[in-house]
Amino acid sequence: MKNFPIPTKEQVSPANQNIFDNLKSMVGFVPNLFAIFGHSDTALSDYLALQNRKTSVRAKEREVINLVVSQVNRCSYCLSAHTQFAKMNGFTDEQILDIRRANISFDPKLDALAKLAKSTVENRGHVRSEELENFFAAGYTEASLIDVVMVIGDKIITNYLHALTDIPVDWPLAPELETATIN
């Protein structure tokens, strides 16, 4: 596999340099996965606009989607980063493992969301009608469905980018799940 260099601030466009500065002030560093977007003059700002768009999906719900999609796609980078964000949103270590398994016993609404997100990714959008019905029965709306698909798309972008570049994970590593526990 090609060694994919992680650009430094000096190696990216002036617009990306400003974004790198903003990321460093917000997160404390420029995460490798965001830095890799810097190879393109526009991809980083485009991605951040998608990620930060107004949405009906609450922060905790977003982390559920991020963790489930990243688990299905086996993205160690995103699992590690979103484990940290999930903790910042109040989830415990055990809850995070349950979320990654899409088997959430502590919150039925989040469970319906996790199951829909998992099935959507595994089945390329062709979920069983029961999963969609459970999602709506849990209190989600048509607008919620659209916003969930947007978050899934956002996460697929970074999952695939990491898979293609295999850049080092610069977050505390998320624990592995046994394959049998996520099926």
Side-chain angles (χ1 to χ4, degrees):
M1 178 179 235
K2 173 183 170 39
N3 182 12
F4 222 90
I6 300 166
T8 63
K9 178 181 168 184
E10 294 74 26
Q11 295 171 318
V12 300
S13 70
N16 282 336
Q17 287 178 10
N18 289 335
I19 296 171
F20 276 30
D21 287 341
N22 289 339
L23 286 168
K24 190 169 184 175
S25 69
M26 291 183 337
V27 184
F29 67 105
V30 178
N32 287 342
L33 194 57
F34 283 175
I36 214 74
F37 277 102
H39 283 288
S40 165
D41 288 342
T42 58
L44 182 56
S45 63
D46 291 346
Y47 177 73
L48 290 172
L50 171 64
Q51 190 177 60
N52 295 311
R53 66 182 274 283
K54 186 177 178 181
T55 178
S56 64
V57 177
R58 299 180 338 238
K60 284 186 120 171
E61 293 167 326
R62 184 180 188 96
E63 291 314 318
V64 167
I65 299 164
N66 289 333
L67 286 165
V68 169
V69 172
S70 297
Q71 185 64 53
V72 170
N73 288 324
R74 294 184 172 93
C75 181
S76 61
Y77 191 99
C78 294
L79 283 169
S80 297
H82 289 288
T83 291
Q84 298 308 307
F85 294 131
K87 287 178 183 180
M88 291 169 35
N89 277 285
F91 290 116
T92 67
D93 289 335
E94 190 56 42
Q95 288 173 330
I96 291 167
L97 294 175
D98 289 347
I99 291 166
R100 289 172 55 191
R101 291 180 186 106
N103 188 16
I104 303 173
S105 60
F106 62 89
D107 186 317
K109 186 173 183 179
L110 292 180
D111 188 58
L113 173 63
K115 285 180 173 35
L116 180 76
K118 182 177 189 240
S119 183
T120 299
V121 176
E122 289 178 338
N123 298 301
R124 297 185 188 114
H126 300 279
V127 302
R128 294 188 340 251
S129 59
E130 174 186 310
E131 292 162 333
L132 205 50
E133 289 168 15
N134 290 341
F135 176 78
F136 291 124
Y140 291 105
T141 66
E142 290 82 1
S144 304
L145 180 65
I146 304 301
D147 286 339
V148 166
V149 171
M150 293 294 290
V151 176
I152 289 171
D154 160 353
K155 198 44 42 205
I156 287 173
I157 290 168
T158 54
N159 289 175
Y160 285 12
L161 187 58
H162 183 257
L164 290 165
T165 62
D166 196 31
I167 54 155
V169 177
D170 50 359
W171 297 91
L173 284 177
E176 293 285 329
L177 285 185
E178 293 180 28
T179 306
T181 65
I182 61 169
N183 291 330

Short mmCIF file of all heavy atoms in Angstrom, two decimals, residues 19-56:
data_model
loop_
_atom_site.label_atom_id
_atom_site.label_comp_id
_atom_site.label_asym_id
_atom_site.label_seq_id
_atom_site.Cartn_x
_atom_site.Cartn_y
_atom_site.Cartn_z
N ILE A 19 -7.98 26.52 8.62
CA ILE A 19 -8.77 25.45 9.23
C ILE A 19 -7.91 24.66 10.21
O ILE A 19 -8.37 24.31 11.30
CB ILE A 19 -9.39 24.55 8.15
CG1 ILE A 19 -10.38 25.34 7.28
CG2 ILE A 19 -10.08 23.34 8.79
CD1 ILE A 19 -10.89 24.60 6.06
N PHE A 20 -6.66 24.38 9.83
CA PHE A 20 -5.76 23.68 10.74
C PHE A 20 -5.62 24.46 12.05
O PHE A 20 -5.66 23.87 13.14
CB PHE A 20 -4.38 23.50 10.11
CG PHE A 20 -4.23 22.31 9.20
CD1 PHE A 20 -5.29 21.80 8.46
CD2 PHE A 20 -2.99 21.71 9.06
CE1 PHE A 20 -5.13 20.71 7.63
CE2 PHE A 20 -2.81 20.61 8.22
CZ PHE A 20 -3.88 20.12 7.50
N ASP A 21 -5.48 25.80 11.95
CA ASP A 21 -5.38 26.63 13.16
C ASP A 21 -6.64 26.51 14.01
O ASP A 21 -6.56 26.39 15.23
CB ASP A 21 -5.14 28.10 12.79
CG ASP A 21 -3.73 28.36 12.27
OD1 ASP A 21 -2.83 27.53 12.52
OD2 ASP A 21 -3.55 29.41 11.60
N ASN A 22 -7.80 26.55 13.36
CA ASN A 22 -9.07 26.43 14.10
C ASN A 22 -9.19 25.06 14.77
O ASN A 22 -9.62 24.97 15.93
CB ASN A 22 -10.26 26.65 13.17
CG ASN A 22 -10.40 28.09 12.73
OD1 ASN A 22 -9.89 29.00 13.39
ND2 ASN A 22 -11.06 28.31 11.62
N LEU A 23 -8.82 24.02 14.05
CA LEU A 23 -8.88 22.67 14.63
C LEU A 23 -7.95 22.57 15.84
O LEU A 23 -8.31 22.01 16.87
CB LEU A 23 -8.49 21.61 13.59
CG LEU A 23 -9.53 21.33 12.51
CD1 LEU A 23 -8.92 20.50 11.38
CD2 LEU A 23 -10.74 20.62 13.11
N LYS A 24 -6.75 23.12 15.70
CA LYS A 24 -5.80 23.05 16.80
C LYS A 24 -6.32 23.79 18.03
O LYS A 24 -6.17 23.32 19.15
CB LYS A 24 -4.44 23.61 16.37
CG LYS A 24 -3.36 23.34 17.38
CD LYS A 24 -1.99 23.65 16.86
CE LYS A 24 -0.98 23.26 17.92
NZ LYS A 24 0.37 23.41 17.47
N SER A 25 -6.98 24.93 17.81
CA SER A 25 -7.51 25.68 18.96
C SER A 25 -8.71 24.97 19.60
O SER A 25 -8.92 25.06 20.79
CB SER A 25 -7.87 27.12 18.57
OG SER A 25 -8.99 27.14 17.72
N MET A 26 -9.50 24.23 18.80
CA MET A 26 -10.68 23.54 19.32
C MET A 26 -10.35 22.19 19.94
O MET A 26 -10.89 21.84 20.98
CB MET A 26 -11.72 23.34 18.21
CG MET A 26 -12.37 24.63 17.75
SD MET A 26 -13.67 24.45 16.48
CE MET A 26 -13.37 22.93 15.68
N VAL A 27 -9.50 21.42 19.29
CA VAL A 27 -9.23 20.05 19.71
C VAL A 27 -7.89 19.92 20.44
O VAL A 27 -7.68 18.96 21.17
CB VAL A 27 -9.27 19.09 18.48
CG1 VAL A 27 -9.09 17.65 18.86
CG2 VAL A 27 -10.55 19.26 17.69
N GLY A 28 -7.00 20.87 20.21
CA GLY A 28 -5.67 20.81 20.81
C GLY A 28 -4.62 20.28 19.85
O GLY A 28 -3.43 20.37 20.11
N PHE A 29 -5.07 19.73 18.72
CA PHE A 29 -4.17 19.23 17.68
C PHE A 29 -4.98 19.10 16.39
O PHE A 29 -6.21 19.21 16.42
CB PHE A 29 -3.53 17.89 18.08
CG PHE A 29 -4.50 16.74 18.18
CD1 PHE A 29 -4.54 15.76 17.19
CD2 PHE A 29 -5.36 16.60 19.27
CE1 PHE A 29 -5.41 14.68 17.29
CE2 PHE A 29 -6.23 15.52 19.38
CZ PHE A 29 -6.26 14.56 18.37
N VAL A 30 -4.30 18.90 15.29
CA VAL A 30 -4.98 18.64 14.02
C VAL A 30 -5.02 17.13 13.86
O VAL A 30 -3.98 16.50 13.63
CB VAL A 30 -4.27 19.30 12.83
CG1 VAL A 30 -4.98 18.96 11.52
CG2 VAL A 30 -4.17 20.80 13.02
N PRO A 31 -6.20 16.52 14.03
CA PRO A 31 -6.28 15.06 13.88
C PRO A 31 -5.79 14.62 12.49
O PRO A 31 -6.07 15.28 11.49
CB PRO A 31 -7.77 14.76 14.06
CG PRO A 31 -8.28 15.90 14.90
CD PRO A 31 -7.49 17.10 14.43
N ASN A 32 -5.05 13.52 12.47
CA ASN A 32 -4.49 13.03 11.21
C ASN A 32 -5.52 12.89 10.11
O ASN A 32 -5.26 13.20 8.95
CB ASN A 32 -3.79 11.69 11.42
CG ASN A 32 -2.48 11.82 12.15
OD1 ASN A 32 -1.89 12.90 12.23
ND2 ASN A 32 -2.01 10.72 12.71
N LEU A 33 -6.72 12.43 10.46
CA LEU A 33 -7.74 12.22 9.44
C LEU A 33 -8.20 13.54 8.83
O LEU A 33 -8.48 13.61 7.64
CB LEU A 33 -8.92 11.43 9.99
CG LEU A 33 -9.88 10.86 8.96
CD1 LEU A 33 -9.17 9.95 7.96
CD2 LEU A 33 -10.99 10.09 9.63
N PHE A 34 -8.27 14.59 9.64
CA PHE A 34 -8.61 15.90 9.09
C PHE A 34 -7.44 16.44 8.28
O PHE A 34 -7.62 17.06 7.23
CB PHE A 34 -9.00 16.88 10.18
CG PHE A 34 -10.39 16.67 10.72
CD1 PHE A 34 -10.83 17.43 11.78
CD2 PHE A 34 -11.26 15.74 10.20
CE1 PHE A 34 -12.11 17.26 12.30
CE2 PHE A 34 -12.54 15.55 10.70
CZ PHE A 34 -12.97 16.32 11.76
N ALA A 35 -6.22 16.22 8.75
CA ALA A 35 -5.05 16.71 8.03
C ALA A 35 -4.96 16.09 6.64
O ALA A 35 -4.59 16.77 5.68
CB ALA A 35 -3.78 16.41 8.82
N ILE A 36 -5.34 14.82 6.53
CA ILE A 36 -5.24 14.14 5.25
C ILE A 36 -6.16 14.79 4.21
O ILE A 36 -5.84 14.84 3.03
CB ILE A 36 -5.50 12.62 5.42
CG1 ILE A 36 -4.66 11.82 4.44
CG2 ILE A 36 -6.93 12.26 5.27
CD1 ILE A 36 -3.23 11.74 4.81
N PHE A 37 -7.29 15.35 4.67
CA PHE A 37 -8.16 16.11 3.77
C PHE A 37 -7.41 17.30 3.16
O PHE A 37 -7.78 17.79 2.10
CB PHE A 37 -9.38 16.65 4.52
CG PHE A 37 -10.52 15.69 4.69
CD1 PHE A 37 -10.72 15.04 5.90
CD2 PHE A 37 -11.43 15.49 3.67
CE1 PHE A 37 -11.80 14.19 6.08
CE2 PHE A 37 -12.52 14.63 3.84
CZ PHE A 37 -12.70 13.97 5.05
N GLY A 38 -6.38 17.78 3.84
CA GLY A 38 -5.62 18.95 3.39
C GLY A 38 -4.90 18.76 2.08
O GLY A 38 -4.45 19.73 1.47
N HIS A 39 -4.78 17.53 1.60
CA HIS A 39 -4.19 17.29 0.28
C HIS A 39 -5.05 17.93 -0.81
O HIS A 39 -4.55 18.22 -1.90
CB HIS A 39 -4.03 15.79 0.00
CG HIS A 39 -2.87 15.17 0.70
ND1 HIS A 39 -1.56 15.39 0.35
CD2 HIS A 39 -2.83 14.34 1.77
CE1 HIS A 39 -0.76 14.72 1.14
NE2 HIS A 39 -1.51 14.07 2.02
N SER A 40 -6.31 18.12 -0.52
CA SER A 40 -7.23 18.79 -1.46
C SER A 40 -7.45 20.21 -0.98
O SER A 40 -7.58 20.45 0.22
CB SER A 40 -8.57 18.04 -1.48
OG SER A 40 -9.57 18.83 -2.08
N ASP A 41 -7.52 21.15 -1.89
CA ASP A 41 -7.74 22.54 -1.51
C ASP A 41 -9.14 22.79 -0.96
O ASP A 41 -9.34 23.74 -0.22
CB ASP A 41 -7.49 23.48 -2.70
CG ASP A 41 -6.01 23.59 -3.06
OD1 ASP A 41 -5.15 23.25 -2.21
OD2 ASP A 41 -5.72 24.02 -4.20
N THR A 42 -10.10 21.94 -1.30
CA THR A 42 -11.49 22.21 -0.91
C THR A 42 -12.13 21.13 -0.04
O THR A 42 -13.14 21.38 0.61
CB THR A 42 -12.37 22.40 -2.15
OG1 THR A 42 -12.29 21.22 -2.96
CG2 THR A 42 -11.91 23.61 -2.97
N ALA A 43 -11.59 19.93 -0.02
CA ALA A 43 -12.26 18.81 0.65
C ALA A 43 -12.44 19.03 2.15
O ALA A 43 -13.48 18.67 2.71
CB ALA A 43 -11.50 17.51 0.40
N LEU A 44 -11.44 19.62 2.81
CA LEU A 44 -11.55 19.80 4.25
C LEU A 44 -12.68 20.76 4.61
O LEU A 44 -13.50 20.46 5.47
CB LEU A 44 -10.23 20.29 4.85
CG LEU A 44 -10.20 20.48 6.37
CD1 LEU A 44 -10.58 19.20 7.10
CD2 LEU A 44 -8.79 20.95 6.80
N SER A 45 -12.77 21.88 3.92
CA SER A 45 -13.86 22.82 4.22
C SER A 45 -15.21 22.22 3.82
O SER A 45 -16.20 22.40 4.53
CB SER A 45 -13.64 24.17 3.54
OG SER A 45 -13.62 24.03 2.14
N ASP A 46 -15.26 21.49 2.72
CA ASP A 46 -16.50 20.83 2.32
C ASP A 46 -16.94 19.80 3.36
O ASP A 46 -18.11 19.75 3.74
CB ASP A 46 -16.33 20.12 0.96
CG ASP A 46 -16.14 21.08 -0.20
OD1 ASP A 46 -16.41 22.29 -0.05
OD2 ASP A 46 -15.72 20.61 -1.27
N TYR A 47 -15.99 19.00 3.83
CA TYR A 47 -16.32 17.99 4.81
C TYR A 47 -16.79 18.62 6.12
O TYR A 47 -17.78 18.19 6.71
CB TYR A 47 -15.13 17.04 5.07
CG TYR A 47 -15.47 16.05 6.15
CD1 TYR A 47 -16.37 15.02 5.89
CD2 TYR A 47 -14.98 16.19 7.44
CE1 TYR A 47 -16.74 14.14 6.89
CE2 TYR A 47 -15.35 15.31 8.44
CZ TYR A 47 -16.23 14.29 8.16
OH TYR A 47 -16.62 13.43 9.16
N LEU A 48 -16.10 19.64 6.58
CA LEU A 48 -16.49 20.30 7.83
C LEU A 48 -17.86 20.96 7.71
O LEU A 48 -18.62 20.98 8.67
CB LEU A 48 -15.42 21.30 8.27
CG LEU A 48 -14.12 20.65 8.76
CD1 LEU A 48 -13.05 21.72 9.00
CD2 LEU A 48 -14.35 19.80 9.99
N ALA A 49 -18.18 21.48 6.52
CA ALA A 49 -19.51 22.06 6.31
C ALA A 49 -20.57 20.97 6.44
O ALA A 49 -21.62 21.18 7.06
CB ALA A 49 -19.60 22.73 4.95
N LEU A 50 -20.30 19.79 5.88
CA LEU A 50 -21.24 18.67 6.01
C LEU A 50 -21.35 18.25 7.47
O LEU A 50 -22.46 18.09 8.00
CB LEU A 50 -20.76 17.48 5.17
CG LEU A 50 -21.52 16.17 5.36
CD1 LEU A 50 -22.97 16.31 4.93
CD2 LEU A 50 -20.83 15.04 4.60
N GLN A 51 -20.22 18.11 8.13
CA GLN A 51 -20.22 17.64 9.51
C GLN A 51 -20.90 18.62 10.46
O GLN A 51 -21.54 18.21 11.43
CB GLN A 51 -18.77 17.40 9.96
CG GLN A 51 -18.68 16.68 11.27
CD GLN A 51 -17.27 16.40 11.64
OE1 GLN A 51 -16.47 17.31 11.79
NE2 GLN A 51 -16.95 15.12 11.80
N ASN A 52 -20.81 19.89 10.19
CA ASN A 52 -21.34 20.91 11.10
C ASN A 52 -22.67 21.50 10.65
O ASN A 52 -23.10 22.52 11.19
CB ASN A 52 -20.29 22.02 11.29
CG ASN A 52 -19.05 21.51 11.98
OD1 ASN A 52 -19.13 20.85 13.00
ND2 ASN A 52 -17.90 21.80 11.41
N ARG A 53 -23.31 20.85 9.71
CA ARG A 53 -24.59 21.37 9.21
C ARG A 53 -25.66 21.29 10.30
O ARG A 53 -25.58 20.47 11.22
CB ARG A 53 -25.04 20.59 7.97
CG ARG A 53 -25.36 19.14 8.24
CD ARG A 53 -25.76 18.37 6.99
NE ARG A 53 -27.16 18.48 6.70
CZ ARG A 53 -28.12 17.81 7.35
NH1 ARG A 53 -27.84 16.99 8.33
NH2 ARG A 53 -29.38 17.97 7.00
N LYS A 54 -26.67 22.15 10.18
CA LYS A 54 -27.80 22.11 11.11
C LYS A 54 -28.55 20.80 10.88
O LYS A 54 -28.77 20.39 9.74
CB LYS A 54 -28.71 23.31 10.86
CG LYS A 54 -29.82 23.42 11.87
CD LYS A 54 -30.65 24.66 11.65
CE LYS A 54 -31.78 24.67 12.68
NZ LYS A 54 -32.65 25.81 12.53
N THR A 55 -28.94 20.15 11.97
CA THR A 55 -29.56 18.84 11.87
C THR A 55 -30.51 18.61 13.04
O THR A 55 -30.35 19.22 14.10
CB THR A 55 -28.48 17.73 11.84
OG1 THR A 55 -29.11 16.45 11.79
CG2 THR A 55 -27.56 17.79 13.04
N SER A 56 -31.45 17.71 12.83
CA SER A 56 -32.36 17.31 13.91
C SER A 56 -31.73 16.23 14.79
O SER A 56 -32.28 15.90 15.84
CB SER A 56 -33.68 16.79 13.33
OG SER A 56 -33.46 15.61 12.57
#
